[in-house]
Structure formats: C-alpha cells, structure tokens
PDB file of all heavy atoms in Angstrom:
ATOM      1  N   LYS A   1      17.201  -2.409  -2.181  1.00 38.00           N
ATOM      2  CA  LYS A   1      18.003  -1.405  -1.383  1.00 38.00           C
ATOM      3  C   LYS A   1      18.940  -2.088  -0.420  1.00 38.00           C
ATOM      4  O   LYS A   1      19.728  -1.432   0.223  1.00 38.00           O
ATOM      5  CB  LYS A   1      17.018  -0.482  -0.624  1.00 38.00           C
ATOM      6  CG  LYS A   1      16.120   0.302  -1.509  1.00 38.00           C
ATOM      7  CD  LYS A   1      15.178   1.155  -0.675  1.00 38.00           C
ATOM      8  CE  LYS A   1      14.212   1.956  -1.582  1.00 38.00           C
ATOM      9  NZ  LYS A   1      13.237   2.737  -0.814  1.00 38.00           N
ATOM     10  N   SER A   2      18.820  -3.389  -0.286  1.00 39.00           N
ATOM     11  CA  SER A   2      19.668  -4.072   0.735  1.00 39.00           C
ATOM     12  C   SER A   2      20.173  -5.392   0.176  1.00 39.00           C
ATOM     13  O   SER A   2      19.455  -6.072  -0.484  1.00 39.00           O
ATOM     14  CB  SER A   2      18.853  -4.307   2.019  1.00 39.00           C
ATOM     15  OG  SER A   2      19.574  -5.132   2.870  1.00 39.00           O
ATOM     16  N   GLY A   3      21.420  -5.667   0.441  1.00 41.00           N
ATOM     17  CA  GLY A   3      21.986  -6.978  -0.028  1.00 41.00           C
ATOM     18  C   GLY A   3      21.984  -7.997   1.093  1.00 41.00           C
ATOM     19  O   GLY A   3      22.311  -9.118   0.889  1.00 41.00           O
ATOM     20  N   THR A   4      21.604  -7.624   2.347  1.00 43.00           N
ATOM     21  CA  THR A   4      21.673  -8.579   3.455  1.00 43.00           C
ATOM     22  C   THR A   4      20.302  -8.844   4.081  1.00 43.00           C
ATOM     23  O   THR A   4      20.127  -9.884   4.714  1.00 43.00           O
ATOM     24  CB  THR A   4      22.601  -8.058   4.566  1.00 43.00           C
ATOM     25  OG1 THR A   4      22.111  -6.752   4.991  1.00 43.00           O
ATOM     26  CG2 THR A   4      24.019  -7.859   3.980  1.00 43.00           C
ATOM     27  N   ASP A   5      19.339  -7.965   3.943  1.00 45.00           N
ATOM     28  CA  ASP A   5      18.038  -8.137   4.502  1.00 45.00           C
ATOM     29  C   ASP A   5      17.080  -8.683   3.495  1.00 45.00           C
ATOM     30  O   ASP A   5      16.980  -8.149   2.399  1.00 45.00           O
ATOM     31  CB  ASP A   5      17.478  -6.804   5.072  1.00 45.00           C
ATOM     32  CG  ASP A   5      18.303  -6.332   6.213  1.00 45.00           C
ATOM     33  OD1 ASP A   5      19.027  -7.156   6.853  1.00 45.00           O
ATOM     34  OD2 ASP A   5      18.307  -5.114   6.418  1.00 45.00           O
ATOM     35  N   ILE A   6      16.296  -9.736   3.823  1.00 42.00           N
ATOM     36  CA  ILE A   6      15.298 -10.293   2.963  1.00 42.00           C
ATOM     37  C   ILE A   6      13.961 -10.098   3.586  1.00 42.00           C
ATOM     38  O   ILE A   6      13.695 -10.485   4.711  1.00 42.00           O
ATOM     39  CB  ILE A   6      15.554 -11.779   2.682  1.00 42.00           C
ATOM     40  CG1 ILE A   6      16.815 -11.957   1.858  1.00 42.00           C
ATOM     41  CG2 ILE A   6      14.348 -12.426   1.973  1.00 42.00           C
ATOM     42  CD1 ILE A   6      16.663 -11.383   0.458  1.00 42.00           C
ATOM     43  N   MET A   7      13.010  -9.479   2.846  1.00 42.00           N
ATOM     44  CA  MET A   7      11.689  -9.226   3.342  1.00 42.00           C
ATOM     45  C   MET A   7      10.758 -10.334   2.905  1.00 42.00           C
ATOM     46  O   MET A   7      10.753 -10.668   1.724  1.00 42.00           O
ATOM     47  CB  MET A   7      11.253  -7.865   2.806  1.00 42.00           C
ATOM     48  CG  MET A   7       9.820  -7.479   3.227  1.00 42.00           C
ATOM     49  SD  MET A   7       9.391  -5.959   2.454  1.00 42.00           S
ATOM     50  CE  MET A   7       9.539  -6.407   0.729  1.00 42.00           C
ATOM     51  N   GLU A   8       9.992 -10.884   3.788  1.00 42.00           N
ATOM     52  CA  GLU A   8       9.074 -11.952   3.449  1.00 42.00           C
ATOM     53  C   GLU A   8       7.737 -11.405   3.049  1.00 42.00           C
ATOM     54  O   GLU A   8       7.191 -10.505   3.712  1.00 42.00           O
ATOM     55  CB  GLU A   8       8.901 -12.938   4.619  1.00 42.00           C
ATOM     56  CG  GLU A   8      10.248 -13.600   4.991  1.00 42.00           C
ATOM     57  CD  GLU A   8      10.106 -14.558   6.177  1.00 42.00           C
ATOM     58  OE1 GLU A   8       8.943 -14.681   6.635  1.00 42.00           O
ATOM     59  OE2 GLU A   8      11.079 -15.253   6.538  1.00 42.00           O
ATOM     60  N   ALA A   9       7.197 -11.890   1.948  1.00 42.00           N
ATOM     61  CA  ALA A   9       5.908 -11.417   1.410  1.00 42.00           C
ATOM     62  C   ALA A   9       4.766 -11.836   2.370  1.00 42.00           C
ATOM     63  O   ALA A   9       4.819 -12.829   3.046  1.00 42.00           O
ATOM     64  CB  ALA A   9       5.700 -11.929   0.049  1.00 42.00           C
ATOM     65  N   PRO A  10       3.664 -11.068   2.382  1.00 44.00           N
ATOM     66  CA  PRO A  10       2.528 -11.480   3.239  1.00 44.00           C
ATOM     67  C   PRO A  10       1.885 -12.743   2.754  1.00 44.00           C
ATOM     68  O   PRO A  10       1.952 -13.053   1.537  1.00 44.00           O
ATOM     69  CB  PRO A  10       1.609 -10.228   3.152  1.00 44.00           C
ATOM     70  CG  PRO A  10       2.018  -9.568   1.874  1.00 44.00           C
ATOM     71  CD  PRO A  10       3.449  -9.827   1.731  1.00 44.00           C
ATOM     72  N   ASN A  11       1.209 -13.416   3.612  1.00 42.00           N
ATOM     73  CA  ASN A  11       0.556 -14.649   3.223  1.00 42.00           C
ATOM     74  C   ASN A  11      -0.652 -14.319   2.320  1.00 42.00           C
ATOM     75  O   ASN A  11      -1.239 -13.254   2.431  1.00 42.00           O
ATOM     76  CB  ASN A  11       0.027 -15.385   4.474  1.00 42.00           C
ATOM     77  CG  ASN A  11       1.168 -15.924   5.305  1.00 42.00           C
ATOM     78  OD1 ASN A  11       2.203 -16.261   4.750  1.00 42.00           O
ATOM     79  ND2 ASN A  11       0.941 -15.970   6.610  1.00 42.00           N
ATOM     80  N   SER A  12      -0.992 -15.211   1.438  1.00 40.00           N
ATOM     81  CA  SER A  12      -2.137 -15.070   0.597  1.00 40.00           C
ATOM     82  C   SER A  12      -2.770 -16.417   0.387  1.00 40.00           C
ATOM     83  O   SER A  12      -2.200 -17.435   0.721  1.00 40.00           O
ATOM     84  CB  SER A  12      -1.694 -14.462  -0.722  1.00 40.00           C
ATOM     85  OG  SER A  12      -0.769 -15.353  -1.362  1.00 40.00           O
ATOM     86  N   GLY A  13      -3.959 -16.426  -0.150  1.00 42.00           N
ATOM     87  CA  GLY A  13      -4.635 -17.699  -0.389  1.00 42.00           C
ATOM     88  C   GLY A  13      -5.709 -17.954   0.608  1.00 42.00           C
ATOM     89  O   GLY A  13      -6.392 -17.071   1.120  1.00 42.00           O
ATOM     90  N   ASP A  14      -5.887 -19.247   0.956  1.00 43.00           N
ATOM     91  CA  ASP A  14      -7.036 -19.631   1.807  1.00 43.00           C
ATOM     92  C   ASP A  14      -6.861 -19.123   3.241  1.00 43.00           C
ATOM     93  O   ASP A  14      -7.837 -18.940   3.956  1.00 43.00           O
ATOM     94  CB  ASP A  14      -7.136 -21.151   1.853  1.00 43.00           C
ATOM     95  CG  ASP A  14      -7.454 -21.696   0.445  1.00 43.00           C
ATOM     96  OD1 ASP A  14      -7.996 -20.921  -0.367  1.00 43.00           O
ATOM     97  OD2 ASP A  14      -7.178 -22.876   0.185  1.00 43.00           O
ATOM     98  N   ASP A  15      -5.613 -18.926   3.702  1.00 45.00           N
ATOM     99  CA  ASP A  15      -5.389 -18.531   5.074  1.00 45.00           C
ATOM    100  C   ASP A  15      -5.766 -17.078   5.313  1.00 45.00           C
ATOM    101  O   ASP A  15      -5.798 -16.638   6.451  1.00 45.00           O
ATOM    102  CB  ASP A  15      -3.916 -18.737   5.458  1.00 45.00           C
ATOM    103  CG  ASP A  15      -3.601 -20.212   5.432  1.00 45.00           C
ATOM    104  OD1 ASP A  15      -4.520 -21.071   5.568  1.00 45.00           O
ATOM    105  OD2 ASP A  15      -2.416 -20.542   5.252  1.00 45.00           O
ATOM    106  N   GLN A  16      -5.995 -16.322   4.314  1.00 47.00           N
ATOM    107  CA  GLN A  16      -6.241 -14.873   4.467  1.00 47.00           C
ATOM    108  C   GLN A  16      -7.717 -14.616   4.376  1.00 47.00           C
ATOM    109  O   GLN A  16      -8.454 -15.153   3.505  1.00 47.00           O
ATOM    110  CB  GLN A  16      -5.496 -14.113   3.388  1.00 47.00           C
ATOM    111  CG  GLN A  16      -5.641 -12.598   3.514  1.00 47.00           C
ATOM    112  CD  GLN A  16      -4.788 -11.875   2.520  1.00 47.00           C
ATOM    113  OE1 GLN A  16      -3.975 -12.479   1.885  1.00 47.00           O
ATOM    114  NE2 GLN A  16      -5.000 -10.588   2.405  1.00 47.00           N
ATOM    115  N   ASP A  17      -8.220 -13.835   5.279  1.00 48.00           N
ATOM    116  CA  ASP A  17      -9.617 -13.408   5.323  1.00 48.00           C
ATOM    117  C   ASP A  17      -9.902 -12.522   4.101  1.00 48.00           C
ATOM    118  O   ASP A  17      -9.299 -11.475   4.008  1.00 48.00           O
ATOM    119  CB  ASP A  17      -9.952 -12.644   6.630  1.00 48.00           C
ATOM    120  CG  ASP A  17     -11.438 -12.390   6.734  1.00 48.00           C
ATOM    121  OD1 ASP A  17     -12.190 -12.670   5.721  1.00 48.00           O
ATOM    122  OD2 ASP A  17     -11.844 -11.912   7.799  1.00 48.00           O
ATOM    123  N   PRO A  18     -10.851 -12.910   3.241  1.00 47.00           N
ATOM    124  CA  PRO A  18     -11.079 -12.072   2.022  1.00 47.00           C
ATOM    125  C   PRO A  18     -11.703 -10.726   2.349  1.00 47.00           C
ATOM    126  O   PRO A  18     -11.586  -9.814   1.543  1.00 47.00           O
ATOM    127  CB  PRO A  18     -12.106 -12.914   1.226  1.00 47.00           C
ATOM    128  CG  PRO A  18     -12.686 -13.838   2.189  1.00 47.00           C
ATOM    129  CD  PRO A  18     -11.699 -14.145   3.232  1.00 47.00           C
ATOM    130  N   ASN A  19     -12.327 -10.572   3.519  1.00 50.00           N
ATOM    131  CA  ASN A  19     -12.920  -9.329   3.900  1.00 50.00           C
ATOM    132  C   ASN A  19     -11.963  -8.392   4.632  1.00 50.00           C
ATOM    133  O   ASN A  19     -12.270  -7.273   5.057  1.00 50.00           O
ATOM    134  CB  ASN A  19     -14.155  -9.544   4.836  1.00 50.00           C
ATOM    135  CG  ASN A  19     -15.211 -10.382   4.080  1.00 50.00           C
ATOM    136  OD1 ASN A  19     -15.402 -10.149   2.872  1.00 50.00           O
ATOM    137  ND2 ASN A  19     -15.924 -11.236   4.787  1.00 50.00           N
ATOM    138  N   GLN A  20     -10.777  -8.934   4.905  1.00 49.00           N
ATOM    139  CA  GLN A  20      -9.818  -8.144   5.643  1.00 49.00           C
ATOM    140  C   GLN A  20      -8.705  -7.633   4.766  1.00 49.00           C
ATOM    141  O   GLN A  20      -8.245  -8.380   3.908  1.00 49.00           O
ATOM    142  CB  GLN A  20      -9.171  -9.022   6.744  1.00 49.00           C
ATOM    143  CG  GLN A  20      -8.190  -8.222   7.633  1.00 49.00           C
ATOM    144  CD  GLN A  20      -7.579  -9.083   8.703  1.00 49.00           C
ATOM    145  OE1 GLN A  20      -7.993 -10.259   8.810  1.00 49.00           O
ATOM    146  NE2 GLN A  20      -6.663  -8.601   9.481  1.00 49.00           N
ATOM    147  N   ARG A  21      -8.327  -6.390   4.861  1.00 51.00           N
ATOM    148  CA  ARG A  21      -7.294  -5.827   4.018  1.00 51.00           C
ATOM    149  C   ARG A  21      -5.989  -6.495   4.324  1.00 51.00           C
ATOM    150  O   ARG A  21      -5.718  -6.912   5.479  1.00 51.00           O
ATOM    151  CB  ARG A  21      -7.137  -4.290   4.288  1.00 51.00           C
ATOM    152  CG  ARG A  21      -8.308  -3.515   3.741  1.00 51.00           C
ATOM    153  CD  ARG A  21      -8.118  -2.051   4.052  1.00 51.00           C
ATOM    154  NE  ARG A  21      -6.903  -1.526   3.425  1.00 51.00           N
ATOM    155  CZ  ARG A  21      -6.865  -1.161   2.094  1.00 51.00           C
ATOM    156  NH1 ARG A  21      -7.948  -1.250   1.362  1.00 51.00           N
ATOM    157  NH2 ARG A  21      -5.738  -0.698   1.604  1.00 51.00           N
ATOM    158  N   PRO A  22      -5.114  -6.683   3.347  1.00 50.00           N
ATOM    159  CA  PRO A  22      -3.841  -7.345   3.612  1.00 50.00           C
ATOM    160  C   PRO A  22      -3.053  -6.600   4.671  1.00 50.00           C
ATOM    161  O   PRO A  22      -3.084  -5.399   4.741  1.00 50.00           O
ATOM    162  CB  PRO A  22      -3.146  -7.304   2.239  1.00 50.00           C
ATOM    163  CG  PRO A  22      -4.249  -7.077   1.285  1.00 50.00           C
ATOM    164  CD  PRO A  22      -5.354  -6.318   2.009  1.00 50.00           C
ATOM    165  N   ASN A  23      -2.309  -7.416   5.433  1.00 51.00           N
ATOM    166  CA  ASN A  23      -1.470  -6.821   6.482  1.00 51.00           C
ATOM    167  C   ASN A  23      -0.301  -6.086   5.806  1.00 51.00           C
ATOM    168  O   ASN A  23       0.504  -6.641   5.108  1.00 51.00           O
ATOM    169  CB  ASN A  23      -0.944  -7.940   7.368  1.00 51.00           C
ATOM    170  CG  ASN A  23      -0.130  -7.376   8.492  1.00 51.00           C
ATOM    171  OD1 ASN A  23      -0.151  -6.211   8.706  1.00 51.00           O
ATOM    172  ND2 ASN A  23       0.503  -8.279   9.269  1.00 51.00           N
ATOM    173  N   LYS A  24      -0.235  -4.790   6.020  1.00 49.00           N
ATOM    174  CA  LYS A  24       0.820  -3.972   5.412  1.00 49.00           C
ATOM    175  C   LYS A  24       2.155  -4.090   6.160  1.00 49.00           C
ATOM    176  O   LYS A  24       3.152  -3.627   5.638  1.00 49.00           O
ATOM    177  CB  LYS A  24       0.394  -2.506   5.353  1.00 49.00           C
ATOM    178  CG  LYS A  24      -0.800  -2.273   4.498  1.00 49.00           C
ATOM    179  CD  LYS A  24      -0.523  -2.588   3.058  1.00 49.00           C
ATOM    180  CE  LYS A  24      -1.724  -2.312   2.192  1.00 49.00           C
ATOM    181  NZ  LYS A  24      -1.450  -2.572   0.750  1.00 49.00           N
ATOM    182  N   LYS A  25       2.110  -4.627   7.336  1.00 51.00           N
ATOM    183  CA  LYS A  25       3.385  -4.745   8.137  1.00 51.00           C
ATOM    184  C   LYS A  25       4.263  -5.807   7.523  1.00 51.00           C
ATOM    185  O   LYS A  25       3.837  -6.937   7.285  1.00 51.00           O
ATOM    186  CB  LYS A  25       3.072  -5.108   9.570  1.00 51.00           C
ATOM    187  CG  LYS A  25       4.316  -5.106  10.451  1.00 51.00           C
ATOM    188  CD  LYS A  25       3.955  -5.291  11.910  1.00 51.00           C
ATOM    189  CE  LYS A  25       5.180  -5.309  12.792  1.00 51.00           C
ATOM    190  NZ  LYS A  25       4.884  -5.578  14.180  1.00 51.00           N
ATOM    191  N   LYS A  26       5.463  -5.477   7.208  1.00 52.00           N
ATOM    192  CA  LYS A  26       6.377  -6.353   6.520  1.00 52.00           C
ATOM    193  C   LYS A  26       7.315  -6.987   7.539  1.00 52.00           C
ATOM    194  O   LYS A  26       7.794  -6.339   8.478  1.00 52.00           O
ATOM    195  CB  LYS A  26       7.149  -5.612   5.468  1.00 52.00           C
ATOM    196  CG  LYS A  26       6.266  -4.928   4.467  1.00 52.00           C
ATOM    197  CD  LYS A  26       7.084  -4.118   3.439  1.00 52.00           C
ATOM    198  CE  LYS A  26       6.206  -3.440   2.432  1.00 52.00           C
ATOM    199  NZ  LYS A  26       5.253  -2.531   3.005  1.00 52.00           N
ATOM    200  N   ARG A  27       7.581  -8.283   7.313  1.00 56.00           N
ATOM    201  CA  ARG A  27       8.484  -8.947   8.178  1.00 56.00           C
ATOM    202  C   ARG A  27       9.842  -9.108   7.435  1.00 56.00           C
ATOM    203  O   ARG A  27       9.881  -9.288   6.244  1.00 56.00           O
ATOM    204  CB  ARG A  27       7.953 -10.331   8.569  1.00 56.00           C
ATOM    205  CG  ARG A  27       6.741 -10.256   9.517  1.00 56.00           C
ATOM    206  CD  ARG A  27       6.198 -11.585   9.796  1.00 56.00           C
ATOM    207  NE  ARG A  27       5.626 -12.209   8.548  1.00 56.00           N
ATOM    208  CZ  ARG A  27       5.564 -13.504   8.379  1.00 56.00           C
ATOM    209  NH1 ARG A  27       6.034 -14.330   9.336  1.00 56.00           N
ATOM    210  NH2 ARG A  27       5.064 -13.983   7.282  1.00 56.00           N
ATOM    211  N   TYR A  28      10.929  -9.057   8.198  1.00 60.00           N
ATOM    212  CA  TYR A  28      12.243  -9.077   7.595  1.00 60.00           C
ATOM    213  C   TYR A  28      13.000 -10.259   8.067  1.00 60.00           C
ATOM    214  O   TYR A  28      12.814 -10.782   9.197  1.00 60.00           O
ATOM    215  CB  TYR A  28      13.022  -7.794   7.959  1.00 60.00           C
ATOM    216  CG  TYR A  28      12.303  -6.555   7.498  1.00 60.00           C
ATOM    217  CD1 TYR A  28      11.429  -5.861   8.310  1.00 60.00           C
ATOM    218  CD2 TYR A  28      12.501  -6.088   6.190  1.00 60.00           C
ATOM    219  CE1 TYR A  28      10.822  -4.713   7.890  1.00 60.00           C
ATOM    220  CE2 TYR A  28      11.844  -4.929   5.711  1.00 60.00           C
ATOM    221  CZ  TYR A  28      11.007  -4.255   6.597  1.00 60.00           C
ATOM    222  OH  TYR A  28      10.373  -3.192   6.134  1.00 60.00           O
ATOM    223  N   HIS A  29      13.904 -10.734   7.230  1.00 69.00           N
ATOM    224  CA  HIS A  29      14.783 -11.839   7.584  1.00 69.00           C
ATOM    225  C   HIS A  29      16.181 -11.339   7.379  1.00 69.00           C
ATOM    226  O   HIS A  29      16.587 -11.096   6.242  1.00 69.00           O
ATOM    227  CB  HIS A  29      14.498 -13.067   6.753  1.00 69.00           C
ATOM    228  CG  HIS A  29      15.530 -14.160   6.981  1.00 69.00           C
ATOM    229  ND1 HIS A  29      15.460 -15.021   8.024  1.00 69.00           N
ATOM    230  CD2 HIS A  29      16.630 -14.490   6.243  1.00 69.00           C
ATOM    231  CE1 HIS A  29      16.450 -15.862   7.971  1.00 69.00           C
ATOM    232  NE2 HIS A  29      17.196 -15.567   6.895  1.00 69.00           N
ATOM    233  N   ARG A  30      16.950 -11.281   8.426  1.00 81.00           N
ATOM    234  CA  ARG A  30      18.367 -10.814   8.301  1.00 81.00           C
ATOM    235  C   ARG A  30      19.259 -12.085   8.219  1.00 81.00           C
ATOM    236  O   ARG A  30      19.187 -12.936   9.091  1.00 81.00           O
ATOM    237  CB  ARG A  30      18.777  -9.958   9.512  1.00 81.00           C
ATOM    238  CG  ARG A  30      20.184  -9.424   9.432  1.00 81.00           C
ATOM    239  CD  ARG A  30      20.462  -8.391  10.522  1.00 81.00           C
ATOM    240  NE  ARG A  30      19.663  -7.231  10.359  1.00 81.00           N
ATOM    241  CZ  ARG A  30      19.952  -6.227   9.603  1.00 81.00           C
ATOM    242  NH1 ARG A  30      21.020  -6.250   8.864  1.00 81.00           N
ATOM    243  NH2 ARG A  30      19.136  -5.180   9.514  1.00 81.00           N
ATOM    244  N   HIS A  31      20.112 -12.080   7.174  1.00 85.00           N
ATOM    245  CA  HIS A  31      20.971 -13.224   7.006  1.00 85.00           C
ATOM    246  C   HIS A  31      22.094 -13.222   8.054  1.00 85.00           C
ATOM    247  O   HIS A  31      22.512 -12.154   8.523  1.00 85.00           O
ATOM    248  CB  HIS A  31      21.613 -13.146   5.616  1.00 85.00           C
ATOM    249  CG  HIS A  31      20.637 -13.288   4.491  1.00 85.00           C
ATOM    250  ND1 HIS A  31      19.625 -14.193   4.482  1.00 85.00           N
ATOM    251  CD2 HIS A  31      20.519 -12.570   3.346  1.00 85.00           C
ATOM    252  CE1 HIS A  31      18.912 -14.107   3.375  1.00 85.00           C
ATOM    253  NE2 HIS A  31      19.393 -13.102   2.666  1.00 85.00           N
ATOM    254  N   THR A  32      22.511 -14.436   8.368  1.00 89.00           N
ATOM    255  CA  THR A  32      23.690 -14.528   9.260  1.00 89.00           C
ATOM    256  C   THR A  32      24.971 -14.173   8.512  1.00 89.00           C
ATOM    257  O   THR A  32      24.988 -14.212   7.269  1.00 89.00           O
ATOM    258  CB  THR A  32      23.729 -15.960   9.861  1.00 89.00           C
ATOM    259  OG1 THR A  32      24.059 -16.855   8.796  1.00 89.00           O
ATOM    260  CG2 THR A  32      22.476 -16.355  10.537  1.00 89.00           C
ATOM    261  N   GLN A  33      26.008 -13.931   9.276  1.00 87.00           N
ATOM    262  CA  GLN A  33      27.277 -13.663   8.657  1.00 87.00           C
ATOM    263  C   GLN A  33      27.786 -14.842   7.821  1.00 87.00           C
ATOM    264  O   GLN A  33      28.375 -14.643   6.763  1.00 87.00           O
ATOM    265  CB  GLN A  33      28.341 -13.285   9.725  1.00 87.00           C
ATOM    266  CG  GLN A  33      29.623 -12.661   9.191  1.00 87.00           C
ATOM    267  CD  GLN A  33      29.360 -11.300   8.567  1.00 87.00           C
ATOM    268  OE1 GLN A  33      28.431 -10.628   8.923  1.00 87.00           O
ATOM    269  NE2 GLN A  33      30.216 -10.985   7.571  1.00 87.00           N
ATOM    270  N   HIS A  34      27.571 -16.007   8.283  1.00 87.00           N
ATOM    271  CA  HIS A  34      27.970 -17.202   7.550  1.00 87.00           C
ATOM    272  C   HIS A  34      27.229 -17.311   6.226  1.00 87.00           C
ATOM    273  O   HIS A  34      27.839 -17.619   5.186  1.00 87.00           O
ATOM    274  CB  HIS A  34      27.720 -18.424   8.411  1.00 87.00           C
ATOM    275  CG  HIS A  34      27.920 -19.756   7.626  1.00 87.00           C
ATOM    276  ND1 HIS A  34      29.213 -20.137   7.232  1.00 87.00           N
ATOM    277  CD2 HIS A  34      27.021 -20.657   7.166  1.00 87.00           C
ATOM    278  CE1 HIS A  34      29.063 -21.295   6.562  1.00 87.00           C
ATOM    279  NE2 HIS A  34      27.782 -21.621   6.514  1.00 87.00           N
ATOM    280  N   GLN A  35      25.930 -17.035   6.234  1.00 89.00           N
ATOM    281  CA  GLN A  35      25.190 -17.113   5.017  1.00 89.00           C
ATOM    282  C   GLN A  35      25.659 -16.021   4.019  1.00 89.00           C
ATOM    283  O   GLN A  35      25.801 -16.360   2.798  1.00 89.00           O
ATOM    284  CB  GLN A  35      23.695 -16.890   5.326  1.00 89.00           C
ATOM    285  CG  GLN A  35      23.032 -18.051   6.069  1.00 89.00           C
ATOM    286  CD  GLN A  35      21.613 -17.725   6.505  1.00 89.00           C
ATOM    287  OE1 GLN A  35      21.296 -16.538   6.696  1.00 89.00           O
ATOM    288  NE2 GLN A  35      20.832 -18.715   6.702  1.00 89.00           N
ATOM    289  N   ILE A  36      25.926 -14.876   4.501  1.00 89.00           N
ATOM    290  CA  ILE A  36      26.403 -13.818   3.600  1.00 89.00           C
ATOM    291  C   ILE A  36      27.718 -14.157   3.029  1.00 89.00           C
ATOM    292  O   ILE A  36      27.963 -14.019   1.817  1.00 89.00           O
ATOM    293  CB  ILE A  36      26.491 -12.471   4.405  1.00 89.00           C
ATOM    294  CG1 ILE A  36      25.089 -12.046   4.832  1.00 89.00           C
ATOM    295  CG2 ILE A  36      27.131 -11.405   3.503  1.00 89.00           C
ATOM    296  CD1 ILE A  36      25.096 -10.805   5.697  1.00 89.00           C
ATOM    297  N   GLN A  37      28.653 -14.695   3.857  1.00 88.00           N
ATOM    298  CA  GLN A  37      29.992 -15.046   3.367  1.00 88.00           C
ATOM    299  C   GLN A  37      29.893 -16.156   2.283  1.00 88.00           C
ATOM    300  O   GLN A  37      30.595 -16.102   1.280  1.00 88.00           O
ATOM    301  CB  GLN A  37      30.913 -15.511   4.498  1.00 88.00           C
ATOM    302  CG  GLN A  37      31.273 -14.393   5.454  1.00 88.00           C
ATOM    303  CD  GLN A  37      32.091 -14.890   6.615  1.00 88.00           C
ATOM    304  OE1 GLN A  37      32.189 -16.087   6.828  1.00 88.00           O
ATOM    305  NE2 GLN A  37      32.593 -13.947   7.442  1.00 88.00           N
ATOM    306  N   GLU A  38      29.074 -17.137   2.523  1.00 88.00           N
ATOM    307  CA  GLU A  38      28.928 -18.205   1.582  1.00 88.00           C
ATOM    308  C   GLU A  38      28.373 -17.688   0.237  1.00 88.00           C
ATOM    309  O   GLU A  38      28.839 -18.082  -0.855  1.00 88.00           O
ATOM    310  CB  GLU A  38      27.999 -19.328   2.140  1.00 88.00           C
ATOM    311  CG  GLU A  38      28.626 -20.143   3.226  1.00 88.00           C
ATOM    312  CD  GLU A  38      29.755 -21.003   2.717  1.00 88.00           C
ATOM    313  OE1 GLU A  38      29.594 -21.561   1.632  1.00 88.00           O
ATOM    314  OE2 GLU A  38      30.833 -21.072   3.398  1.00 88.00           O
ATOM    315  N   MET A  39      27.346 -16.894   0.333  1.00 90.00           N
ATOM    316  CA  MET A  39      26.736 -16.351  -0.936  1.00 90.00           C
ATOM    317  C   MET A  39      27.689 -15.382  -1.616  1.00 90.00           C
ATOM    318  O   MET A  39      27.678 -15.321  -2.890  1.00 90.00           O
ATOM    319  CB  MET A  39      25.398 -15.713  -0.619  1.00 90.00           C
ATOM    320  CG  MET A  39      24.296 -16.739  -0.282  1.00 90.00           C
ATOM    321  SD  MET A  39      22.629 -16.056  -0.204  1.00 90.00           S
ATOM    322  CE  MET A  39      22.701 -15.099   1.302  1.00 90.00           C
TER     323      MET A  39
END
C-alpha cells in the first residue's frame, strides 16, 4: 500500500520467548527524500 514506508518484520528465533505471543506492534521505516529519489 505504500511506496515510501518500509515495515520491519518482528524478530524471531532464539531472541524470542517461545511462551510469549509475537509482538503484533509493527515498526516502520520511512525513507529519506534522497533515498526515494535515488531509487
């Protein structure tokens, strides 16, 4: 839905507590104007 915002996936593997449900809160990365222009 977005060409400028990149959402980072939640961590997985050893760092995640197996008894705890995955964190549903999503983190976003907004590209800078320079990055967008270059791409």
Side-chain angles (χ1 to χ4, degrees):
K1 299 177 182 178
S2 172
T4 58
D5 295 336
I6 292 295
M7 178 183 61
E8 298 182 357
N11 294 329
S12 62
D14 296 338
D15 296 336
Q16 184 175 349
D17 187 353
N19 298 323
Q20 183 180 356
R21 291 180 58 84
N23 185 9
K24 297 295 182 179
K25 185 175 181 181
K26 302 175 179 61
R27 291 176 296 152
Y28 301 94
H29 173 81
R30 182 172 295 277
H31 296 315
T32 65
Q33 192 65 28
H34 171 69
Q35 290 172 334
I36 295 173
Q37 290 176 351
E38 288 292 318
M39 287 191 288

